[in-house]
Amino acid sequence: MPRIYLDYNATTPLAPEVRERLLSLMGGFTGNPSSLHREGREGRSLLNEARAKVASLLHADPAEVIFTSGGTESINLALKGVFYGSPRSGKKNMVTTSVEHSSVHQALAFLAGREGVRVTSLPVDHDGRVSLEEYEKSLPETLMVSVTYANNETGVIFPIREMASLAKSRGVLFHLDAVQGAGRLPLNVKELGIDLLSFSGHKIYGPTGTGVLYCRRGVSLAPLIQGGSQEREKRGGTENIFGIAGLATAFELVSAEREKENERLKKMRQRIETTISQIPGSFVNSRGEARLANTLNFSFEGISNQSLLASLDLEGFAISGGSACASGSMEPSHVLIAMGQPREMAKGAVRVSLGRPTTEKEVDQFLSVLPGVVQRLREAR
Ligand code: PLP
């Protein structure tokens, strides 16, 4: 039986259009963009073209786009780069939420341990919402806020415009982790009113090992990697030209398809949600909230996610329990724990995330198998 992949929040396959672009580039030779000869100039022109494309999709200036190796690097560069880039600000508070990706939590923990930065990690309610009142209270004396656009486990979308505008009015810099938002939510940095934004190639049908940090002109950013004047001295090292070209193609593709694709995926997600809610003892997390159209997080009373995932894997379905980084461990998701779920319930949570290749037929197959798997696991208890 062919495998059915339903874990697009963990990673995505290369889009055929991106594969074509990569194959055509890799068939030839591209010089080092720093070289002055013709081959080098060709490399530079590929790089410039990709940067211009990404910038225009973000409504930014090309000089504000830094290419990195992925979401984790962009986030580290944003948080540590702003801290080390503004030594005279005197501000030592950083604000985030308790449901961020581990790259945000760990970069901030590093700054707390090494530099004495005070980190405020705002709580969320049982639906995954942050209180804007609490958020506003945390802003005085703060250097920077870092929040996720949409949660990778529940899909819950934070009210970014409001949060960014409150930060701006207090002179606080705002970094948006848009790793899950890219290609799924509007990313006009001007309209959002943000200062920095991170996203990753492998979540948008682009190559793994590629990412973007948007850093508004005027924000002082120290590099994490020294060694050359690449990326306007914000990230040393010869550029990953092919990867960058592939990332730009992927970003263009998902941005153009975004609204139509969201509509399509939402309908399929709704079908899955309806079937799940008809199974006794089922629970859909953050059901009433504004969520990514492709994401569904749920659990069944009395069933651990380990056994559910293993049984579904045997049936041919690739889905995951919360974030990919946390899966494999028996620890329940920190996101659901932060939402106040009892550990036992959080240990049952499973995430289905749909993507560009997902078809109605695949959803039919999933729905024809899921209720039986749940019943068998319950009978085996
Ligand atoms: N931020 C969020 C919200 C994510 O979901 C992920 C990856 O799952 C990351 C950051 C890290 O991105 P990358 O895998 O490109 O390092």
Side-chain angles (χ1 to χ4, degrees):
M1 200 175 81
R3 299 280 300 170
I4 293 181
Y5 185 78
L6 297 173
D7 199 13
Y8 293 91
N9 285 10
T11 195
T12 57
L14 274 185
E17 296 86 337
V18 176
R19 190 178 318 118
E20 280 306 303
R21 169 91 171 125
L22 288 177
L23 286 174
S24 79
L25 288 173
M26 286 171 167
F29 169 72
T30 306
N32 187 325
S34 300
S35 303
L36 297 178
H37 43 62
R38 192 204 301 171
E39 288 77 359
R41 290 197 304 277
E42 282 166 7
R44 173 129 313 260
S45 104
L46 268 181
L47 188 60
N48 290 346
E49 192 191 311
R51 198 184 308 281
K53 202 177 273 181
V54 170
S56 101
L57 293 164
L58 292 172
H59 296 258
D61 191 276
E64 296 172 316
V65 171
I66 302 164
F67 290 114
T68 68
S69 69
T72 299
E73 186 190 326
S74 295
I75 288 166
N76 271 269
L77 180 54
L79 300 179
K80 295 175 188 167
V82 163
F83 180 78
Y84 290 114
S86 27
R88 280 184 296 280
S89 86
K91 291 182 181 172
K92 281 217 154 187
N93 292 350
M94 301 268 224
V95 171
T96 190
T97 81
S98 50
V99 294
E100 300 300 312
H101 186 261
S102 53
S103 51
V104 172
H105 284 158
Q106 290 187 24
L108 290 176
F110 171 89
L111 290 174
R114 195 61 81 92
E115 308 293 346
V117 166
R118 286 178 297 272
V119 179
T120 303
S121 189
L122 294 166
V124 293
D125 68 10
H126 62 281
D127 284 319
R129 279 174 305 208
V130 74
S131 148
L132 285 183
E133 219 174 289
E134 289 295 310
Y135 168 71
E136 202 173 352
K137 279 193 214 149
S138 73
L139 293 177
E141 292 308 307
T142 292
L143 173 63
M144 184 185 199
V145 166
S146 180
V147 294
T148 184
Y149 205 165
N151 189 272
N152 50 321
E153 297 187 32
T154 59
V156 169
I157 300 167
F158 277 149
I160 297 308
R161 278 170 216 238
E162 289 91 323
M163 293 176 94
S165 127
L166 284 169
K168 191 172 190 174
S169 67
R170 305 286 188 291
V172 177
L173 293 172
F174 195 95
H175 168 247
L176 183 65
D177 171 359
V179 169
Q180 295 293 342
R184 298 172 176 160
L185 298 170
L187 278 199
N188 180 332
V189 293
K190 301 258 162 29
E191 274 180 28
L192 290 168
I194 58 181
D195 302 296
L196 299 108
L197 173 148
S198 297
F199 72 91
S200 180
H202 77 100
K203 308 276 188 188
I204 57 167
Y205 311 95
T208 311
T210 61
V212 166
L213 175 66
Y214 155 78
C215 181
R216 182 177 59 71
R217 184 178 273 126
V219 173
S220 169
L221 191 80
L224 299 185
I225 303 175
Q226 287 79 22
S229 59
Q230 293 90 352
E231 301 301 295
R232 294 184 181 252
E233 307 201 347
K234 301 300 179 213
R235 189 199 190 245
T238 301
E239 301 87 344
N240 172 10
I241 290 283
F242 294 156
I244 289 169
L247 168 106
T249 305
F251 191 38
E252 188 172 39
L253 196 67
V254 292
S255 304
E257 292 176 348
R258 182 172 61 81
E259 287 179 21
K260 233 172 130 191
E261 190 58 2
N262 277 344
E263 253 175 63
R264 190 181 78 86
L265 297 180
K266 198 170 180 173
K267 280 190 200 131
M268 292 197 273
R269 201 250 329 254
Q270 191 53 48
R271 285 181 55 214
I272 303 177
E273 200 166 313
T274 304
T275 301
I276 286 172
S277 40
Q278 284 161 357
I279 300 176
S282 62
F283 185 80
V284 173
N285 290 304
S286 304
R287 191 168 193 178
E289 289 313 300
R291 274 174 297 161
L292 290 175
N294 77 319
T295 306
L296 186 61
N297 192 301
F298 54 93
S299 51
F300 299 103
E301 240 167 57
I303 299 183
S304 77
N305 63 12
Q306 304 272 329
S307 50
L308 187 56
L309 298 178
S311 303
L312 286 168
D313 195 21
L314 282 176
E315 298 278 350
F317 299 94
I319 65 173
S320 99
S323 64
C325 321
S327 57
S329 84
M330 293 296 284
E331 280 305 297
S333 135
H334 77 279
V335 172
L336 297 179
I337 293 293
M339 285 163 60
Q341 283 207 358
R343 286 178 72 83
E344 276 320 302
M345 196 161 154
K347 275 187 173 177
V350 162
R351 174 188 72 191
V352 161
S353 48
L354 311 176
R356 197 170 183 252
T358 306
T359 61
E360 293 284 352
K361 195 166 158 225
E362 288 182 334
V363 171
D364 289 341
Q365 280 171 293
F366 181 60
L367 295 181
S368 70
V369 165
L370 182 67
V373 168
V374 173
Q375 196 179 344
R376 277 204 304 284
L377 288 172
R378 282 190 168 146
E379 284 166 3
R381 272 188 296 164

